[in-house]
PDB file of all heavy atoms in Angstrom:
ATOM      1  N   ASP B  28      58.448  71.019 -22.307  1.00 95.00           N
ATOM      2  CA  ASP B  28      57.181  71.180 -21.574  1.00 95.00           C
ATOM      3  C   ASP B  28      56.203  70.060 -21.900  1.00 95.00           C
ATOM      4  O   ASP B  28      55.536  69.522 -21.018  1.00 95.00           O
ATOM      5  CB  ASP B  28      56.543  72.537 -21.911  1.00 95.00           C
ATOM      6  CG  ASP B  28      57.297  73.697 -21.279  1.00 95.00           C
ATOM      7  OD1 ASP B  28      58.044  73.459 -20.304  1.00 95.00           O
ATOM      8  OD2 ASP B  28      57.147  74.833 -21.765  1.00 95.00           O
ATOM      9  N   ALA B  29      56.122  69.723 -23.179  1.00 94.00           N
ATOM     10  CA  ALA B  29      55.136  68.711 -23.581  1.00 94.00           C
ATOM     11  C   ALA B  29      55.517  67.323 -23.107  1.00 94.00           C
ATOM     12  O   ALA B  29      54.660  66.509 -22.770  1.00 94.00           O
ATOM     13  CB  ALA B  29      54.985  68.718 -25.102  1.00 94.00           C
ATOM     14  N   SER B  30      56.812  67.047 -23.070  1.00 93.00           N
ATOM     15  CA  SER B  30      57.259  65.701 -22.687  1.00 93.00           C
ATOM     16  C   SER B  30      57.544  65.588 -21.199  1.00 93.00           C
ATOM     17  O   SER B  30      57.560  64.495 -20.639  1.00 93.00           O
ATOM     18  CB  SER B  30      58.534  65.332 -23.460  1.00 93.00           C
ATOM     19  OG  SER B  30      59.608  66.163 -23.047  1.00 93.00           O
ATOM     20  N   GLY B  31      57.775  66.726 -20.563  1.00 91.00           N
ATOM     21  CA  GLY B  31      58.140  66.696 -19.142  1.00 91.00           C
ATOM     22  C   GLY B  31      59.628  66.524 -18.912  1.00 91.00           C
ATOM     23  O   GLY B  31      60.088  66.480 -17.777  1.00 91.00           O
ATOM     24  N   ASP B  32      60.398  66.452 -20.004  1.00 91.00           N
ATOM     25  CA  ASP B  32      61.843  66.235 -19.891  1.00 91.00           C
ATOM     26  C   ASP B  32      62.556  67.587 -19.829  1.00 91.00           C
ATOM     27  O   ASP B  32      62.850  68.191 -20.858  1.00 91.00           O
ATOM     28  CB  ASP B  32      62.339  65.418 -21.092  1.00 91.00           C
ATOM     29  CG  ASP B  32      63.837  65.116 -21.015  1.00 91.00           C
ATOM     30  OD1 ASP B  32      64.529  65.721 -20.173  1.00 91.00           O
ATOM     31  OD2 ASP B  32      64.301  64.283 -21.807  1.00 91.00           O
ATOM     32  N   HIS B  33      62.815  68.038 -18.592  1.00 90.00           N
ATOM     33  CA  HIS B  33      63.456  69.333 -18.397  1.00 90.00           C
ATOM     34  C   HIS B  33      64.928  69.174 -18.032  1.00 90.00           C
ATOM     35  O   HIS B  33      65.456  69.925 -17.212  1.00 90.00           O
ATOM     36  CB  HIS B  33      62.705  70.129 -17.323  1.00 90.00           C
ATOM     37  CG  HIS B  33      61.346  70.573 -17.757  1.00 90.00           C
ATOM     38  ND1 HIS B  33      60.205  69.871 -17.445  1.00 90.00           N
ATOM     39  CD2 HIS B  33      60.943  71.619 -18.521  1.00 90.00           C
ATOM     40  CE1 HIS B  33      59.157  70.486 -17.980  1.00 90.00           C
ATOM     41  NE2 HIS B  33      59.573  71.546 -18.630  1.00 90.00           N
ATOM     42  N   ASN B  34      65.548  68.206 -18.623  1.00 90.00           N
ATOM     43  CA  ASN B  34      66.980  68.026 -18.427  1.00 90.00           C
ATOM     44  C   ASN B  34      67.690  69.342 -18.776  1.00 90.00           C
ATOM     45  O   ASN B  34      67.491  69.882 -19.861  1.00 90.00           O
ATOM     46  CB  ASN B  34      67.464  66.891 -19.347  1.00 90.00           C
ATOM     47  CG  ASN B  34      68.901  66.480 -19.069  1.00 90.00           C
ATOM     48  OD1 ASN B  34      69.707  67.277 -18.632  1.00 90.00           O
ATOM     49  ND2 ASN B  34      69.200  65.222 -19.324  1.00 90.00           N
ATOM     50  N   PRO B  35      68.515  69.875 -17.841  1.00 90.00           N
ATOM     51  CA  PRO B  35      69.123  71.184 -18.089  1.00 90.00           C
ATOM     52  C   PRO B  35      70.024  71.223 -19.316  1.00 90.00           C
ATOM     53  O   PRO B  35      70.290  72.307 -19.843  1.00 90.00           O
ATOM     54  CB  PRO B  35      69.913  71.457 -16.805  1.00 90.00           C
ATOM     55  CG  PRO B  35      70.098  70.135 -16.141  1.00 90.00           C
ATOM     56  CD  PRO B  35      68.896  69.325 -16.530  1.00 90.00           C
ATOM     57  N   ILE B  36      70.469  70.081 -19.782  1.00 92.00           N
ATOM     58  CA  ILE B  36      71.344  70.094 -20.965  1.00 92.00           C
ATOM     59  C   ILE B  36      70.583  70.606 -22.192  1.00 92.00           C
ATOM     60  O   ILE B  36      71.178  71.055 -23.158  1.00 92.00           O
ATOM     61  CB  ILE B  36      71.926  68.680 -21.226  1.00 92.00           C
ATOM     62  CG1 ILE B  36      73.213  68.799 -22.053  1.00 92.00           C
ATOM     63  CG2 ILE B  36      70.914  67.762 -21.894  1.00 92.00           C
ATOM     64  CD1 ILE B  36      74.046  67.540 -22.062  1.00 92.00           C
ATOM     65  N   HIS B  37      69.250  70.568 -22.120  1.00 94.00           N
ATOM     66  CA  HIS B  37      68.438  71.060 -23.238  1.00 94.00           C
ATOM     67  C   HIS B  37      68.020  72.514 -23.050  1.00 94.00           C
ATOM     68  O   HIS B  37      67.672  73.185 -24.021  1.00 94.00           O
ATOM     69  CB  HIS B  37      67.167  70.219 -23.381  1.00 94.00           C
ATOM     70  CG  HIS B  37      67.415  68.757 -23.498  1.00 94.00           C
ATOM     71  ND1 HIS B  37      68.221  68.224 -24.473  1.00 94.00           N
ATOM     72  CD2 HIS B  37      66.976  67.704 -22.751  1.00 94.00           C
ATOM     73  CE1 HIS B  37      68.263  66.899 -24.324  1.00 94.00           C
ATOM     74  NE2 HIS B  37      67.525  66.564 -23.287  1.00 94.00           N
ATOM     75  N   LEU B  38      68.040  72.972 -21.814  1.00 94.00           N
ATOM     76  CA  LEU B  38      67.378  74.248 -21.515  1.00 94.00           C
ATOM     77  C   LEU B  38      68.262  75.302 -20.870  1.00 94.00           C
ATOM     78  O   LEU B  38      68.010  76.492 -21.030  1.00 94.00           O
ATOM     79  CB  LEU B  38      66.174  73.968 -20.578  1.00 94.00           C
ATOM     80  CG  LEU B  38      65.153  72.954 -21.095  1.00 94.00           C
ATOM     81  CD1 LEU B  38      64.174  72.565 -19.985  1.00 94.00           C
ATOM     82  CD2 LEU B  38      64.396  73.524 -22.281  1.00 94.00           C
ATOM     83  N   ASP B  39      69.236  74.877 -20.116  1.00 93.00           N
ATOM     84  CA  ASP B  39      70.015  75.804 -19.304  1.00 93.00           C
ATOM     85  C   ASP B  39      71.353  76.098 -19.995  1.00 93.00           C
ATOM     86  O   ASP B  39      72.255  75.257 -20.002  1.00 93.00           O
ATOM     87  CB  ASP B  39      70.238  75.183 -17.911  1.00 93.00           C
ATOM     88  CG  ASP B  39      70.923  76.147 -16.958  1.00 93.00           C
ATOM     89  OD1 ASP B  39      71.681  77.017 -17.436  1.00 93.00           O
ATOM     90  OD2 ASP B  39      70.715  76.015 -15.744  1.00 93.00           O
ATOM     91  N   GLU B  40      71.456  77.304 -20.541  1.00 93.00           N
ATOM     92  CA  GLU B  40      72.629  77.665 -21.325  1.00 93.00           C
ATOM     93  C   GLU B  40      73.905  77.591 -20.486  1.00 93.00           C
ATOM     94  O   GLU B  40      74.958  77.105 -20.948  1.00 93.00           O
ATOM     95  CB  GLU B  40      72.443  79.076 -21.883  1.00 93.00           C
ATOM     96  CG  GLU B  40      73.368  79.412 -23.022  1.00 93.00           C
ATOM     97  CD  GLU B  40      72.937  80.682 -23.729  1.00 93.00           C
ATOM     98  OE1 GLU B  40      71.943  81.297 -23.318  1.00 93.00           O
ATOM     99  OE2 GLU B  40      73.608  81.046 -24.698  1.00 93.00           O
ATOM    100  N   GLU B  41      73.801  78.062 -19.247  1.00 93.00           N
ATOM    101  CA  GLU B  41      74.975  78.098 -18.376  1.00 93.00           C
ATOM    102  C   GLU B  41      75.449  76.685 -18.056  1.00 93.00           C
ATOM    103  O   GLU B  41      76.644  76.380 -18.121  1.00 93.00           O
ATOM    104  CB  GLU B  41      74.605  78.850 -17.091  1.00 93.00           C
ATOM    105  CG  GLU B  41      75.788  79.259 -16.244  1.00 93.00           C
ATOM    106  CD  GLU B  41      75.328  80.084 -15.047  1.00 93.00           C
ATOM    107  OE1 GLU B  41      74.377  80.859 -15.175  1.00 93.00           O
ATOM    108  OE2 GLU B  41      75.924  79.905 -13.980  1.00 93.00           O
ATOM    109  N   PHE B  42      74.499  75.833 -17.714  1.00 92.00           N
ATOM    110  CA  PHE B  42      74.864  74.443 -17.420  1.00 92.00           C
ATOM    111  C   PHE B  42      75.401  73.760 -18.672  1.00 92.00           C
ATOM    112  O   PHE B  42      76.430  73.070 -18.633  1.00 92.00           O
ATOM    113  CB  PHE B  42      73.650  73.668 -16.893  1.00 92.00           C
ATOM    114  CG  PHE B  42      73.891  72.191 -16.797  1.00 92.00           C
ATOM    115  CD1 PHE B  42      74.647  71.658 -15.759  1.00 92.00           C
ATOM    116  CD2 PHE B  42      73.391  71.325 -17.766  1.00 92.00           C
ATOM    117  CE1 PHE B  42      74.902  70.291 -15.687  1.00 92.00           C
ATOM    118  CE2 PHE B  42      73.636  69.963 -17.697  1.00 92.00           C
ATOM    119  CZ  PHE B  42      74.392  69.439 -16.655  1.00 92.00           C
ATOM    120  N   ALA B  43      74.724  73.967 -19.784  1.00 93.00           N
ATOM    121  CA  ALA B  43      75.120  73.288 -21.024  1.00 93.00           C
ATOM    122  C   ALA B  43      76.547  73.663 -21.425  1.00 93.00           C
ATOM    123  O   ALA B  43      77.279  72.850 -22.001  1.00 93.00           O
ATOM    124  CB  ALA B  43      74.134  73.625 -22.146  1.00 93.00           C
ATOM    125  N   ALA B  44      76.948  74.883 -21.079  1.00 94.00           N
ATOM    126  CA  ALA B  44      78.302  75.330 -21.436  1.00 94.00           C
ATOM    127  C   ALA B  44      79.376  74.520 -20.714  1.00 94.00           C
ATOM    128  O   ALA B  44      80.525  74.463 -21.166  1.00 94.00           O
ATOM    129  CB  ALA B  44      78.454  76.812 -21.105  1.00 94.00           C
TER     130      ALA B  44
END
Side-chain angles (χ1 to χ4, degrees):
Chain B
D28 288 340
S30 67
D32 182 348
H33 291 96
N34 189 331
I36 202 165
H37 306 304
L38 304 169
D39 186 332
E40 197 167 1
E41 194 176 324
F42 170 77

